[in-house]
Amino acid sequence: MGDVLELSEEDKSMLAGEAGPAAQLCLRMIVALARVRGARRLLDVESAHVDGCLYHGRAGLDFAERLVGLGGRVAVPTTSNVGSLDLRHPGVVRADPETTAGARRLMSAYTALGCSPTWTCAPYQLTHRPAFGTHVAWAESNAIVFVNSVLGARTDRYGDFLDIGAAITGRVPDGGLHQDANRRATIRLDCARLPPALLAEDAAWGVLGHLAGRAAGSGVPVLTGVGDAVTEDQLKAFGAAAASGGGVGLFHVVGVTPEAPTLAAVAAEDIETVRVEDLRPMRDELSTARGPGLDALCLGTPHFSLTEFERLAALADGEPFRIPVYVTTSRAVLAEAGRLGFAAPVRAAGARIVVDTCTYITPILDPVLRTVMTTSGKWAWYAPGNIGVETVLGSLAECVASARAGTVVRDGALWSS
């Protein structure tokens, strides 16, 4: 197949180096990606979210500092994903001095490129939210699926290096989930037989998302039969688990998400349908621990929202936890939670609040902690492999009850009904 990519005069100028060497280098990457994907043109993006801030070694640091050295600067509003350090609470991450120094330099490099130092995997919880139908270049799996599905803006999956490349050039290939044809549902999950009491639990949405990821792979699932009383936190939990359990970058919920007022709006009549009335085995797949023993609690993957802080503050109610409890969030949400009085009761109960990073990707937990409970399907899926712990998935109320009891407390009847 010949080269079908047509570049604008501005693209050609950038490739010739007239916008500087950093933009020239970055556009070369974007053009190469466009040709691999068979795109016919490049699109302007209105914002970007950069995932490459997590320190994995010299390669990522060398690349970011190379862009700084070339005078790189983002062309659109750009937020930064989590880094490998909690810059507000030094010492929380137990990394060796070399890793700590590299992680700090990497975060500084992205700040020097013009990225807002938000350090959050949930940029949609900040003040800037892309409008429906606009094109953006967001990276990080849960951020991608949220902005596509819940906000109805359009991004494809951009990994490390391509994310900052799109931010510096303001350009992406016109392909993937930027196009209407690729936003149609590929599999339907019929939830009509699920008990309303179960659907009201956040943990159920993480399990549903895990099921969707396993069933849809990198396709587009559509949920039916869940009513319209779905919260944004539940959609967040669903999308994050669908993106980690599979490779979902977009989902629809009929009557809830903006592109799916009806099933016909997003799906063909003959689409494959899966009934999901029995979620218990899928929940158990996210609970690798056996027995009631429990060492710690980890909340906030993706980052804890303000409404989740409000709920946790009400549940904590000053009664102390008997095991370590970690809550990860963004510095912006923590500031608002503090202003509204939600953070104080959480801390008073004994929780440690972590910002800028996350507990399943950096060495924060004490190595003696072997069994950890969480509300997050994503955390439960990744943590055993990443940090070597056993997991228990539960609702926020179950997690709080367990932290007070020092042992696993779950409502088994809810899942067997």
Side-chain angles (χ1 to χ4, degrees), residues 40-61:
R40 293 181 176 274
R41 61 172 183 158
L42 303 182
L43 296 170
D44 286 331
V45 292
E46 297 189 359
S47 68
H49 179 68
V50 173
D51 184 45
C53 318
L54 194 66
Y55 183 71
H56 295 293
R58 287 292 314 190
L61 177 59

Side-chain angles (χ1 to χ4, degrees), residues 77-413:
T78 302
T79 46
S80 53
N81 202 55
V82 295
S84 298
L85 299 173
D86 180 342
L87 297 177
R88 292 284 173 85
H89 308 105
V92 166
V93 178
R94 295 175 295 97
D96 61 71
E98 182 179 354
T99 300
T100 299
R104 189 176 293 278
R105 280 175 58 186
L106 185 63
M107 295 170 83
S108 296
Y110 278 107
T111 303
L113 291 170
C115 301
S116 298
T118 51
W119 316 126
T120 179
C121 60
Y124 44 84
Q125 293 174 355
L126 307 177
T127 54
H128 166 69
R129 284 191 158 199
F132 179 85
T134 56
H135 294 280
V136 299
W138 280 26
E140 205 284 328
S141 62
N142 106 85
I144 292 168
V145 72
F146 191 97
V147 76
N148 271 320
S149 313
V150 182
L151 302 185
R154 298 187 174 204
T155 186
D156 206 19
R157 302 168 182 85
Y158 298 109
D160 290 5
F161 304 166
L162 287 169
D163 48 14
I164 187 63
I168 287 177
T169 62
R171 303 285 276 169
V172 294
D174 182 12
L177 294 173
H178 290 285
Q179 294 190 328
D180 290 343
N182 298 323
R183 299 179 71 85
R184 301 281 291 175
T186 58
I187 188 170
R188 174 189 174 195
L189 303 182
D190 179 8
C191 304
R193 297 187 183 183
L194 290 178
L198 180 59
L199 277 174
E201 292 290 341
D202 289 350
W205 287 85
V207 177
L208 266 174
H210 186 66
L211 171 63
R214 300 292 294 272
S218 58
V220 180
V222 56
L223 272 65
T224 57
V226 299
D228 58 5
V230 185
T231 70
E232 189 168 297
D233 288 329
Q234 291 168 340
L235 295 175
K236 177 183 77 167
F238 177 87
S244 56
V248 172
L250 165 68
F251 67 86
H252 303 292
V253 183
V254 171
V256 176
T257 53
E259 292 179 43
T262 64
L263 179 61
V266 293
E269 290 183 1
D270 59 351
I271 191 173
E272 180 187 358
T273 297
V274 177
R275 289 184 174 174
V276 296
E277 53 264 41
D278 186 8
L279 284 181
R280 178 67 179 264
M282 201 59 58
R283 184 203 69 164
D284 292 344
E285 191 169 274
L286 296 172
S287 298
T288 60
R290 298 293 177 263
L294 188 63
D295 296 325
L297 202 66
C298 283
L299 305 173
T301 305
H303 274 166
F304 227 43
S305 70
L306 194 60
T307 52
E308 287 172 319
F309 258 115
E310 182 177 17
R311 292 175 54 212
L312 180 58
L315 288 167
D317 197 25
E319 187 173 339
F321 300 132
R322 297 180 62 182
I323 58 175
V325 173
Y326 299 86
V327 181
T328 53
T329 189
S330 68
R331 52 178 63 187
V333 167
L334 177 57
E336 190 65 5
R339 187 183 70 82
L340 295 173
F342 302 151
V346 172
R347 286 191 171 111
R352 167 170 267 182
I353 300 175
V354 178
V355 299
D356 299 343
T357 188
C358 187
T359 51
Y360 81 95
I361 53 175
T362 49
I364 293 176
L365 273 64
D366 192 309
V368 302
L369 305 177
R370 306 309 309 153
T371 303
V372 183
M373 193 169 185
T374 180
T375 56
S376 168
K378 179 175 182 176
W379 202 97
W381 184 239
Y382 282 143
N386 281 9
I387 59 174
V389 299
E390 302 297 330
T391 57
V392 182
L393 183 71
S395 69
L396 186 60
E398 289 170 335
C399 285
V400 170
S402 299
R404 283 175 176 157
T407 187
V408 174
V409 177
R410 288 199 297 188
D411 181 359

